């Protein structure tokens, strides 16, 4: 099961980094696998139903505040809810903190590159806008920071190093 979880995190990271969105099917797959693992008593992190449901509610509920403020997309919120099913409530705070640090570094680098204009392709990549902006069929992204991708990276780091103690 940890390999399915890591595969789900990888898919979310790549999808959010490239598209700046998390599709519902990806959130539902992650949640379904987490619920199946709980039902089969094969949860890779040893959490039980109450902690998983609490983690899901906290993950969803906390980030819902940021969505309501207009600074986060709905996919990030749903992804955090599914992530909470996997890890439970306790590791969510360190995962959020690390993901927020990564997102903050992304924002600082993006702002610096916008001002310096030394690396225009890197600036476009960090902004989430497509490199070929002349194509009218390509949607322009309004949120430059792929927070779900950073949540996924932080969760993978937690799995490898955070659980050692």
């Amino acid at each position: 099961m940890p390999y399915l979880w890591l595969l789900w995190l990888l898919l979310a990271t790549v999808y959010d980094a490239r598209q700046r969105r998390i599709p519902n099917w990806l959130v539902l797959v992650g949640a379904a696998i987490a619920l199946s693992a709980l039902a089969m008593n094969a949860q890779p992190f040893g959490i039980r139903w109450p902690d998983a449901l609490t983690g899901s509610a906290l993950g969803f509920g906390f980030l819902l505040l940021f969505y309501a403020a207009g600074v986060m997309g709905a996919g990030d919120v749903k992804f955090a809810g599914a992530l909470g099913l996997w890890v439970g409530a306790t590791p969510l705070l360190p995962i959020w903190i690390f993901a927020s640090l990564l997102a903050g570094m992304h924002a600082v680098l993006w702002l610096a590159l916008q001002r310096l204009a030394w690396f225009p392709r890197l600036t476009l990549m960090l902004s989430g806008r497509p490199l070929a902006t002349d194509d009218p069929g390509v949607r322009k992204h309004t949120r430059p920071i792929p927070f779900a991708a950073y949540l996924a990276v932080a969760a993978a780091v937690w799995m490898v190093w955070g659980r050692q103690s």
Side-chain angles (χ1 to χ4, degrees):
M1 280 293 177
Y3 298 112
L4 283 176
W5 187 63
L6 286 173
L7 178 62
W8 178 67
L9 293 177
L10 177 65
L11 283 171
T13 301
V14 170
Y15 206 101
D16 197 26
R18 292 183 59 109
Q19 303 292 322
R20 295 302 196 271
R21 59 183 294 274
I22 295 290
N24 288 334
W25 66 264
L26 188 58
V27 173
L28 290 173
V29 164
I33 295 170
L35 292 171
S36 298
L38 283 163
M40 294 185 304
N41 204 20
Q43 213 283 337
F45 309 118
I47 65 168
R48 301 285 179 239
W49 283 99
D51 195 29
L53 295 176
T54 303
S56 181
L58 283 173
F60 184 85
F62 182 68
L63 292 188
L64 188 61
L65 299 172
F66 292 95
Y67 173 74
V71 296
M72 186 168 289
D76 299 327
V77 177
K78 293 179 275 188
F79 180 79
L83 182 64
L85 281 174
W86 279 100
V87 301
T90 306
L92 283 179
L93 183 61
I95 289 171
W96 282 332
I97 290 171
F98 187 57
S100 296
L101 290 172
L102 291 173
M105 289 188 302
H106 179 124
V108 167
L109 181 60
W110 177 59
L111 289 172
L113 287 172
Q114 273 188 318
R115 292 185 190 268
L116 297 175
W118 290 342
F119 304 102
R121 291 181 69 80
L122 180 59
T123 305
L124 278 174
M125 184 182 76
L126 287 172
S127 74
R129 291 186 189 95
L131 293 178
T133 55
D134 297 337
D135 185 0
V138 176
R139 158 183 112 107
K140 295 203 167 116
H141 305 287
T142 58
R143 290 186 172 85
I145 311 234
F147 194 68
Y150 291 130
L151 279 173
V153 168
V157 168
W158 167 81
M159 180 186 166
V160 174
W161 286 293
R163 299 184 27 214
Q164 302 294 328
S165 49

